[in-house]
Amino acid sequence: MKLRLGIMGADDSLDIIRSVVNDYAEIECLPIVYWTEEEIFDLLEPHVGQADMWLFSGQVPYSMVKEWGRIKTPMAYVPHIGASLYRTLLHISHEKSITVSELSFDTFSSDEFSRLLEEAGLSTSRIWLKSYAGAIHASELADYHETLWREGKTKAAVTCLRTAQMELERRGVPVYRVLPTRAGVEAVLSMLLRTYEMLQFKDTQIAVQMMEIDSFKGLTSGTFSTDELYNLEIKSTEKLLRYAKQLQGSLKIAGPGRYVIFTTRGILRDFTRDFVAAPRLEELSGIQDEMVTCGIGIGKTAYEAEIHAGTALLHAKESGPGSWMVFFDDKRIAGPLGKSEQITFSGASGQLQEISRQTSLSVQTLSKLQSILKKRGSAEINAHELAMHMQIMPRSARRILIELETKGIATVVGEESPHPRGRPRKVYRIEL
């Protein structure tokens, strides 16, 4: 299967990238040219889901799109490596006899630029360099270069950004462009192909869904017989067989009301929108969503995936009926899928295991707590907030906080009164 690679860049750099990509029979190219930073998102919008990976011609468009957040597939950009700069400097020196100290530069970090000059045997007492992290507007770079040129400190500008080059040309400032090299493009393409192969392998990993169906929710009256329950079980099995067929998986019965479906990670990823949403079983097979509690397990072997699915099911049952959790092969646990308050935590941590030994709390509970605090961006929380995030009763959340306070891991730092007549809520600062 070919890698569908979306490529976005300025006209000149895109030509170089495409000329290299054409040598790779395993890559199918989707090129997009942009002329201003303002049009990047509008140009990308219609093609968001059309590529397996995206490659950008430089740091600026890559950083903008990464912050945009709409692209969920792997992304990379072609860095301006030493050979790119050396080629430009050789041209300037040969054609214009301008020294490094008479030029202004951008994009490179100070340490990187100094190292490049040292490797090239170029020494200078003064460097005019505009470094930046992430994205930057072309006009800001143009202002920097133009100011130095008009003050007579430089004779020309050297920029890595095509839009900055065009803006400087419009202002009448002598400017030279640092273009990516074929070697630089080939290095990034090699990395993307290895990543794609790895993802293809991951998509074929075994995935197991362990499901519990509450047949009582399917009863229409308050009285029932065992025959009616048995009939509901048969109907549920038939519906799950239809669902398993859509997953290209196989269904096994694991006891009354419990079923196991074996499929692959890639298929489940598509059905759960990258393990964020729970599949709509009512639409897919006619089973009421609230009847099913499910744990998804990913593993390197069928046995490992099944063990992970069982653990995920236990966490799903803690979250309440109709919940879905997933246990990945790297020991991360995520969910409940489809809920507004989702958390991802690790099942293994030496530090948390030590805290677990000091307290009556499990590593899983501590991992959830750690994930919640990280997600909130604060070490402070009250019992009501903790209960909401962990989907447990407030008294259970208070027990957790009191246990941590007793062992010196949590400290009361204040109180909140959300209601005039309500009891104040203690705010705890937690140091895991």
Side-chain angles (χ1 to χ4, degrees):
M1 183 182 295
K2 285 190 174 184
L3 163 61
R4 296 173 300 168
L5 181 64
I7 304 173
M8 170 169 267
D11 57 331
D12 51 1
S13 55
L14 197 66
D15 287 342
I16 296 172
I17 295 172
R18 290 188 67 181
S19 70
V20 178
V21 172
N22 288 338
D23 294 336
Y24 289 78
E26 61 269 51
I27 297 179
E28 184 179 308
C29 180
L30 170 63
I32 301 175
V33 178
Y34 78 92
W35 294 96
T36 65
E37 284 79 15
E38 289 76 13
E39 64 180 349
I40 286 177
F41 302 143
D42 290 336
L43 289 170
L44 269 180
E45 185 71 48
H47 308 287
V48 165
Q50 295 179 3
D52 300 310
M53 294 181 174
W54 285 90
L55 177 61
F56 297 90
S57 62
Q59 174 183 328
V60 170
Y62 167 84
S63 299
M64 291 177 63
V65 174
K66 185 178 180 181
E67 188 175 340
W68 186 42
R70 292 292 309 280
I71 301 291
K72 303 301 181 183
T73 50
M75 301 188 301
Y77 68 89
V78 181
H80 292 86
I81 57 178
S84 307
L85 177 63
Y86 299 152
R87 182 176 59 187
T88 305
L89 290 178
L90 181 62
H91 171 72
I92 296 172
S93 175
H94 180 70
E95 295 290 332
K96 302 296 181 181
S97 299
I98 301 176
T99 63
V100 173
S101 60
E102 297 172 315
L103 296 168
S104 56
F105 301 85
D106 60 45
T107 304
F108 298 96
S109 69
S110 178
D111 290 342
E112 178 187 20
F113 193 75
S114 298
R115 178 179 57 79
L116 292 174
L117 294 183
E118 183 180 345
E119 289 177 352
L122 299 172
S123 59
T124 177
S125 58
R126 183 180 295 277
I127 296 176
W128 305 106
L129 175 64
K130 174 72 171 178
S131 301
Y132 56 90
I136 193 170
H137 200 277
S139 60
E140 185 177 342
L141 288 181
D143 289 343
Y144 170 77
H145 291 295
E146 183 185 15
T147 299
L148 291 170
W149 178 70
R150 294 201 180 278
E151 291 176 353
K153 296 176 180 177
T154 61
K155 292 183 178 180
V158 178
T159 182
C160 297
L161 197 63
R162 172 65 163 150
T163 49
Q165 178 194 17
M166 292 189 294
E167 177 63 19
L168 286 165
E169 288 174 345
R170 189 186 66 79
R171 300 182 187 186
V173 179
V175 59
Y176 297 90
R177 170 99 150 96
V178 179
L179 286 166
T181 63
R182 289 183 62 89
V185 175
E186 287 171 353
V188 177
L189 288 178
S190 177
M191 179 271 293
L192 288 175
L193 283 170
R194 289 197 304 272
T195 303
Y196 183 63
E197 290 171 0
M198 180 193 70
L199 292 175
Q200 291 291 98
F201 170 75
K202 290 184 73 172
D203 279 351
T204 62
Q205 279 184 296
I206 298 292
V208 174
Q209 285 183 257
M210 192 171 290
M211 315 168 80
E212 283 193 358
I213 297 183
D214 186 355
S215 298
F216 287 91
K217 292 185 182 293
L219 295 170
T220 56
S221 61
T223 58
F224 58 88
S225 66
T226 54
D227 287 342
E228 287 177 288
L229 278 178
Y230 183 65
N231 188 43
L232 282 172
E233 289 270 351
I234 293 174
K235 289 182 177 179
S236 295
T237 303
E238 291 173 347
K239 292 174 180 178
L240 281 178
L241 279 169
R242 291 200 294 271
Y243 172 60
K245 187 175 181 180
Q246 294 179 70
L247 292 178
Q248 301 178 38
S250 61
L251 175 70
K252 308 295 180 186
I253 299 175
R258 179 171 291 182
Y259 303 85
V260 177
I261 296 177
F262 291 85
T263 182
T264 64
R265 180 182 188 146
I267 291 174
L268 264 187
R269 185 199 63 207
D270 293 339
F271 269 77
T272 58
R273 288 186 294 168
D274 203 13
F275 300 103
V276 170
R280 298 301 304 272
L281 292 180
E282 199 156 355
E283 297 175 5
L284 294 169
S285 61
I287 300 177
Q288 297 178 34
D289 294 324
E290 62 271 15
M291 289 176 59
V292 180
T293 304
C294 178
I296 298 174
I298 310 293
K300 298 179 181 66
T301 65
Y303 177 76
E304 182 182 73
E306 194 170 357
I307 295 297
H308 289 175
T311 305
L313 178 60
L314 292 175
H315 284 285
K317 291 172 73 171
E318 287 181 4
S319 298
S323 297
W324 290 56
M325 299 288 289
V326 56
F327 194 138
F328 295 99
D329 54 334
D330 60 0
K331 309 304 179 186
R332 286 181 301 116
I333 303 173
L337 305 186
K339 300 294 177 68
S340 57
E341 289 297 337
Q342 293 188 34
I343 59 174
T344 300
F345 57 95
S346 172
S349 166
Q351 185 180 5
L352 296 186
Q353 286 173 359
E354 178 60 31
I355 296 176
S356 178
R357 283 191 286 269
Q358 297 174 25
T359 65
S360 62
L361 305 176
S362 68
V363 172
Q364 285 77 14
T365 297
L366 293 168
S367 294
K368 287 181 182 180
L369 177 57
Q370 187 178 54
S371 176
I372 291 166
L373 296 176
K374 184 177 180 181
K375 182 178 180 180
R376 285 166 52 88
S378 171
E380 297 181 2
I381 196 168
N382 62 45
H384 177 78
E385 292 167 334
L386 181 59
M388 180 183 67
H389 282 286
M390 295 188 74
Q391 298 190 355
I392 58 178
M393 296 297 291
R395 63 173 177 269
S396 298
R398 281 194 290 272
R399 182 187 67 80
I400 292 172
L401 293 171
I402 291 171
E403 175 72 10
L404 292 172
E405 183 188 16
T406 302
K407 297 297 188 287
I409 298 165
T411 307
V412 178
V413 294
E415 291 185 340
E416 295 176 337
S417 299
H419 305 291
R421 298 184 180 181
R423 188 174 65 179
R425 296 170 179 168
K426 292 181 179 179
V427 179
Y428 292 82
R429 177 180 291 120
I430 302 172
E431 302 293 340
L432 292 177

